[in-house]
Amino acid sequence: MRGWTTVAATLAVTASLVAVPISSSAAPRCDTQPIQTALGSLKKAGIPGVSVTVKSPRCGVWTGGVGVADRATGRKVTGGEHSRIGSNTKTWTATVVLQLVGEGRIDLDDTVEDFFPKLIRTKDYDGRKITVRQLLQQTSGLPDFLDAPFWEDEEAHRWDHIEPLQTVRQALALPPPDDRAPSGFAYSNTNYNLAGMIVTKVTGRSIGTEITQRIIRPLGLCGTSWPGDRTTLPKPELRSYVVRNGALADRTEWNTSDADASGALISTGADATVFWNALLTGKLLAPAQLAEMKKTVDDGSGEGYGLGVERYELTPGLVTWGHSGGMPSGHEFRNAVTEDGQRSVTFLINTDEYKWQDVDVAIGDLVRDIR
C-alpha cells in the first residue's frame, strides 16, 4: 500500500458518532463499548468519515459510523453507505477463479500461455512460465501497470474507459519490479486484471458478470455492484476526498474501468461482511479450494498473502483475514475477519489522507474485544 498521512488540523472535519444496529437479532448482552472506543479513536485521527460494520456472536451485525459522508451537505455517516472497495475486489476475483478450479475448468498450474498464446513474450516476461496460482498469489514477477508513465497523473484519466488488455500491455513495457520479497511476492494489479481476462476466456463472460452471478446474487448482496463505466455511486454514497492545493477536494465520481478485476467493485460494509463470512465458512468454496486460498507466502512485511487474501495479526496471536483497498478517488477499505468468520470488522474510509497505523490499531483492538 501507499504510505498515508493524517489530514492537517485545518482540514479536520468535526465528527460525530452514529450507531445504527441493523440486525434485529442482536443479543441483549452485546457490549458496544469496544465499538465506541474504536470510533472515538478514528474521530481523533481527523478522518472526514468512516463507515463501520461489526459482526460478532453477541451483537449480530452492527453498523454505524463517525464523521460525515458528504462534507458539502453535512450528511453524517450512518454505516449504510455505498463505497468503492478497491483491492478488496481481488478476493472476489480469486473466489471466482477458485470456483472454476473446483469445476475443473481452470487448474492453478495452468499458464497464461494456455489461455493467451504469445500475449506475454518479452525479454523480461514469458507467459509460458507464469501460472494462475502465481497471478493470484502476486508472485508472477509482472510489474504493476499503475507504474507506467501513462498513470503519472491518474486524474488526467479520470473519465477514460480503459480495457484490461490495455493495462496488461502497459505493464509489459516496464522493467521487472525491484521490490520483490525473497518469496517472489511483488504486489501488482496487473496480475488480477490478467486473472479476470482468464475468467472471461473460460466462461465467455466478464469478471464483473461472473462475480454478480456467482457471488452477489446468491448471497443477496443488494448493495454490491459492478460499475463498468458508471462514474457515480448508488445512494446513499460515501463521498470521497483527496488533497488538492492544500484542501480536501471531492473526487467521488470516477471511471474505474482500468481497475477491473483488481479493484472495481462497489459495496457496503454490511454486504462485504456477508461475503467474507460466507467465504471463510465454506459457503463459496469447497474445502480444497479454500485451503489453497489460505496458503500464504511472505509478502515482505511479516504478514502473509494467499490467493487474493491477506493474513493479519493486528493483535499478536489473533489470526485474521482480509484485504485492504484504495482508489485514486480517495475511497479506502480495511477489514479483518477471524478464522471462523464469527467476528469481523469492516471500515469504509472516505479519504486517502490518513495514518494507516491508526486504523490498524482500531481494527485490531475492535476485532479482539468485540463479543
Side-chain angles (χ1 to χ4, degrees):
M1 291 183 65
R2 293 168 288 177
W4 309 116
T5 56
T6 54
V7 181
T10 56
L11 300 179
V13 178
T14 300
S16 61
L17 303 183
V18 179
V20 184
I22 63 171
S23 174
S24 59
S25 63
R29 294 177 60 198
C30 172
D31 178 10
T32 62
Q33 185 55 52
I35 303 173
Q36 300 300 331
T37 299
L39 291 177
S41 70
L42 295 172
K43 178 179 179 179
K44 292 177 182 177
I47 300 171
V50 185
S51 170
V52 180
T53 301
V54 174
K55 179 182 182 297
S56 73
R58 293 183 184 177
C59 292
V61 177
W62 185 103
T63 186
V66 58
V68 293
D70 186 340
R71 296 181 70 237
T73 65
R75 175 169 53 89
K76 296 187 183 303
V77 177
T78 64
E81 293 81 10
H82 299 84
S83 177
R84 306 189 193 283
I85 65 172
S87 287
N88 196 264
T89 303
K90 291 179 172 67
T91 311
W92 305 59
T93 295
T95 299
V96 169
V97 173
L98 287 166
Q99 286 181 348
L100 292 168
V101 170
E103 295 165 12
R105 302 171 73 181
I106 293 177
D107 191 291
L108 287 173
D109 293 325
D110 287 341
T111 67
V112 173
E113 182 80 6
D114 292 329
F115 302 100
F116 300 106
K118 299 183 180 180
L119 173 62
I120 301 180
R121 294 281 190 91
T122 74
K123 66 180 181 64
D124 293 315
Y125 314 110
D126 187 342
R128 294 169 295 185
K129 299 178 181 179
I130 298 173
T131 66
V132 173
R133 182 190 303 276
Q134 289 173 324
L135 294 178
L136 299 183
Q137 199 175 57
Q138 305 279 18
T139 55
S140 72
L142 292 172
D144 193 336
F145 71 85
L146 290 175
D147 291 332
F150 182 87
W151 296 103
E152 287 179 1
D153 182 358
E154 288 182 294
E155 200 159 317
H157 305 288
R158 181 179 173 187
W159 310 110
D160 293 357
H161 171 83
I162 305 290
E163 287 289 329
L165 179 58
Q166 182 179 345
T167 67
V168 172
R169 287 176 171 158
Q170 289 172 342
L172 295 179
L174 298 172
D178 58 8
D179 60 349
R180 296 189 75 178
S183 65
F185 177 91
Y187 193 89
S188 170
N189 290 289
T190 311
N191 289 323
Y192 273 78
N193 280 4
L194 257 173
M197 290 168 57
I198 290 173
V199 168
T200 298
K201 184 76 170 182
V202 170
T203 67
R205 294 178 293 273
S206 70
I207 183 62
T209 298
E210 288 297 310
I211 287 175
T212 300
Q213 294 184 352
R214 291 171 174 269
I215 301 175
I216 295 175
R217 288 177 181 169
L219 294 181
L221 305 181
C222 298
T224 304
S225 59
W226 190 264
D229 284 323
R230 188 180 75 236
T231 61
T232 58
L233 295 175
K235 295 187 181 302
E237 80 278 27
L238 188 69
R239 300 199 67 80
S240 56
Y241 303 94
V242 298
V243 172
R244 294 289 183 270
N245 300 318
L248 286 176
D250 189 322
R251 291 296 183 269
T252 307
E253 285 73 34
W254 205 288
N255 186 323
T256 60
S257 56
D258 65 286
D260 197 61
S262 67
L265 264 180
I266 293 168
S267 193
T268 64
D271 273 11
T273 298
V274 171
F275 164 72
W276 277 90
N277 177 264
L279 177 63
L280 292 177
T281 57
K283 295 181 177 66
L284 293 174
L285 294 176
Q289 280 73 59
L290 184 58
E292 291 290 348
M293 175 177 267
K294 294 168 78 173
K295 290 179 181 178
T296 63
V297 296
D298 185 358
D299 65 2
S301 70
E303 302 287 0
Y305 197 94
L307 304 186
V309 293
E310 296 170 341
R311 183 184 185 278
Y312 309 126
E313 286 192 37
L314 300 177
T315 295
L318 178 60
V319 173
T320 58
W321 297 89
H323 203 300
S324 56
M327 297 297 282
S329 63
H331 287 111
E332 295 287 318
F333 182 100
R334 301 284 290 173
N335 76 320
V337 189
T338 56
E339 291 257 37
D340 59 6
Q342 294 305 300
R343 284 181 285 155
S344 67
V345 177
T346 300
F347 287 177
L348 304 176
I349 301 168
N350 66 354
T351 184
D352 61 2
E353 293 290 322
Y354 69 95
K355 192 174 181 181
W356 62 264
Q357 292 94 335
D358 292 340
V359 173
D360 275 0
V361 168
I363 291 178
D365 289 350
L366 184 48
V367 78
R368 178 195 66 206
D369 296 337
I370 192 68
R371 293 291 184 269

